[in-house]
Amino acid sequence: GDARKCLNALELGIMTTPPDKDNVIRFNLGVAEESIQQKTIVYDGDGDAHYDTISAFIKSMRGSDPNAAIYYLARMIAGGENPEFIARRLIIFASEDIGLANPQALNLTTSTLYAVKNIGMPESRIILAETTIYLASSQKSNSSYKSIDLALSHVKNSPDEKIPIHLLNPITELDKQKNFGKNYNYPHDFPGNFVKENYLPEKIKNKIFYEPKEVGIEKSIKDRISKLWDS
């Protein structure tokens, strides 16, 4: 038991002590004394604790609880989780759970990954915390996530539906003889740079894949799409 406690303290000291200018972790008596008084964090890099914690982290952000999200972020950082892994999960979350309700979230998270890669720990903890709080506090929409999965499912079941002939480019003389591109309406030739046109294959011309939500920035997207296509 005492040996295990010492080994845990050694591991904790190494994880929490930043390297010096020579990139060497100095595990001295002071670090040992401090580490041996701390409780060891139960966290495995590829086991249950890893998956349980990241799951709780994501669900807390999805539930708009920045307080809980920061707590689980702290557990991952203290447990030695790779900060780049956390940053990549933030990027996925920005698209899957925030999406067009706040498109700026994707820009912020990609910048976060760049910053984490170039700054390193322990300073990256601040960058991750800022982004976590922003994402947890942001308005949410999963419409992009749902729309691409719906479209992919349809394409897998019906992969051979013909693209409307007026959308095809007449590259060869034979293409022109087949009326490729005939009667295509160029939107910029019309008022407001828009003209009603059928862009889907004939069999599914009325199928809806993307349904915008009335939240955040996406509300303005829905309003514009509705005004154009329902008028």
Side-chain angles (χ1 to χ4, degrees):
D2 290 340
R4 171 49 55 190
K5 187 175 181 181
C6 288
L7 288 172
N8 288 342
L10 175 61
E11 182 179 23
L12 183 62
I14 291 171
M15 288 192 303
T16 58
T17 304
D20 62 16
K21 62 181 181 179
D22 298 320
N23 202 34
V24 175
I25 295 176
R26 304 292 178 180
F27 191 89
N28 54 31
L29 181 60
V31 173
E33 289 176 341
E34 183 177 349
S35 298
I36 209 160
Q37 295 178 46
Q38 297 185 43
K39 291 185 178 179
T40 305
I41 296 165
V42 179
Y43 194 89
D44 42 17
D46 56 1
D48 290 344
H50 166 82
Y51 293 109
D52 290 347
T53 308
I54 194 65
S55 176
F57 177 62
I58 295 297
K59 287 180 173 66
S60 296
M61 289 193 296
R62 183 179 295 141
S64 298
D65 188 343
N67 190 60
I70 280 292
Y71 166 72
Y72 290 114
L73 174 64
R75 283 184 63 150
M76 288 189 288
I77 291 173
E81 181 62 80
N82 182 349
E84 291 181 22
F85 166 78
I86 301 172
R88 287 192 292 270
R89 291 309 302 259
L90 292 174
I91 293 174
I92 297 168
F93 181 88
S95 290
E96 181 176 341
D97 288 285
I98 293 178
L100 292 167
N102 180 6
Q104 181 59 31
L106 182 56
N107 292 331
L108 178 63
T109 52
T110 52
S111 297
T112 297
L113 178 58
Y114 174 84
V116 166
K117 283 184 173 181
N118 286 276
I119 299 300
M121 295 296 279
E123 288 82 3
S124 285
R125 77 192 191 283
I126 308 167
I127 301 167
L128 292 170
E130 177 183 346
T131 304
T132 295
I133 292 169
Y134 181 90
L135 298 185
S137 305
S138 177
Q139 291 180 295
K140 310 294 192 297
S141 171
N142 67 343
S143 61
S144 297
Y145 169 67
K146 291 176 66 177
S147 66
I148 188 58
D149 279 1
L150 181 61
L152 281 170
S153 176
H154 181 85
V155 168
K156 288 176 182 178
N157 292 325
S158 305
D160 299 323
E161 288 170 331
K162 294 185 180 298
I163 297 173
I165 198 167
H166 63 276
L167 299 181
L168 303 178
N169 285 329
I171 298 174
T172 67
E173 188 62 34
L174 182 60
D175 293 341
K176 294 177 182 178
Q177 293 175 16
K178 291 181 177 181
N179 292 323
F180 281 19
K182 186 177 181 180
N183 298 324
Y184 169 66
N185 293 311
Y186 186 58
H188 295 290
D189 289 340
F190 294 85
N193 303 309
F194 175 80
V195 58
K196 282 191 175 182
E197 182 71 274
N198 176 44
Y199 294 102
L200 283 172
E202 183 64 24
K203 289 182 179 180
I204 59 167
K205 64 180 182 180
N206 295 318
K207 188 171 182 61
I208 302 298
F209 293 104
Y210 170 59
E211 295 190 24
K213 296 188 175 183
E214 293 189 2
V215 59
I217 299 298
E218 195 167 19
K219 185 180 186 306
S220 64
I221 295 174
K222 181 175 183 178
D223 291 344
R224 181 175 186 275
I225 296 299
S226 298
K227 182 178 179 181
L228 291 175
W229 289 97
D230 295 341
S231 58

